Amino acid sequence: MTSQTTTLTGCTAVQQKADRLLALTKITLKDIEDLSPAERQCLERTTTQTLAKLKGAERDIFLDKIDLIIPAATKSSIWEYNHLMISDAVARLMRHHGLMPSKSAIAEETGLSRQTINKHFAAYKAQPEFIAQMEQFKFMAPKILANVFKYASSGDMRAARLYFEMVGELHKTQTTVVNEQNNYIQINNTIISQENLKALSTEQLNQIERILTNKVDQKISRPGEITDIIRI
């Protein structure tokens, strides 16, 4: 047997082992722990080629089959791929139809399942990859602001308006204004607050009322006289 024949026989055996693993309903880490480097490479290559050909529900089933042996980095790459496909599909469909596309339309456009799209929309904000993308956009904000300032300095009034809006948004501080109204009666140097009045008895309140009534009567009878100020 020649060396070329031996190599082909070895490759065939490796491929057959990978195919047997992929025929399982669920592949676990225990299933691949004894694989040689060549067998692992063959499994990775075959898995990648198979995933690229699948769409919709079949793709979901295959991903579920290999979920336990997929590295975290690969899962992140799959999420980023899904996100890019969905984002591009939504943009294209909106340009073409002028309205937000349905989940079914996005599924048909991307080849992803409706279930995958639903899950992506429901949980994308909490996904670490999405958070990382938002941080990248924030990281680039100063560069955009510098470009806006450049045009504003050249006399572009729209750019100047945008610049001041952006700067104002960046440096906006929220202030809380507490408007408190204090109601009280001041007679000379004596202040009677609402709390003081609530603590008085009915007879004491009636007495104060009689005093104030008499004071008002005196003001009416002598309109030219300057009297004490009552602040409420």
Side-chain angles (χ1 to χ4, degrees), residues 44-62:
E44 291 173 358
R45 182 176 62 253
T46 305
T47 299
T48 302
Q49 293 172 349
T50 302
L51 183 61
K53 297 175 183 177
L54 297 177
K55 293 184 178 182
E58 291 182 345
R59 183 175 183 270
D60 290 348
I61 294 172
F62 185 76

Side-chain angles (χ1 to χ4, degrees), residues 62-104:
F62 185 76
L63 285 172
D64 183 67
K65 179 203 296 282
I66 62 176
D67 180 69
L68 297 177
I69 64 171
I70 299 178
T74 303
K75 289 183 178 180
S76 295
S77 298
I78 293 173
W79 185 91
E80 290 175 352
Y81 171 82
N82 291 347
H83 190 73
L84 179 61
M85 293 291 290
I86 293 172
S87 300
D88 287 349
V90 170
R92 285 195 304 271
L93 292 171
M94 286 190 70
R95 283 196 300 268
H96 185 71
H97 299 288
L99 48 82
M100 180 60 68
S102 66
K103 305 289 178 48
S104 299

Side-chain angles (χ1 to χ4, degrees), residues 4-16 38-39:
Q4 183 176 5
T5 304
T6 303
T7 302
L8 290 175
T9 302
C11 290
T12 302
V14 169
Q15 185 63 55
Q16 288 176 346
E39 290 169 339

Side-chain angles (χ1 to χ4, degrees), residues 172-180:
K172 185 185 295 181
T173 57
Q174 295 184 347
T175 57
T176 303
V177 178
V178 179
N179 294 320
E180 183 178 351

Side-chain angles (χ1 to χ4, degrees), residues 114-131:
R114 201 175 190 280
Q115 180 181 3
T116 294
I117 292 168
N118 284 332
K119 288 171 60 177
H120 195 87
F121 277 127
Y124 76 94
K125 285 186 178 180
Q127 193 73 14
E129 290 80 7
F130 175 78
I131 297 173

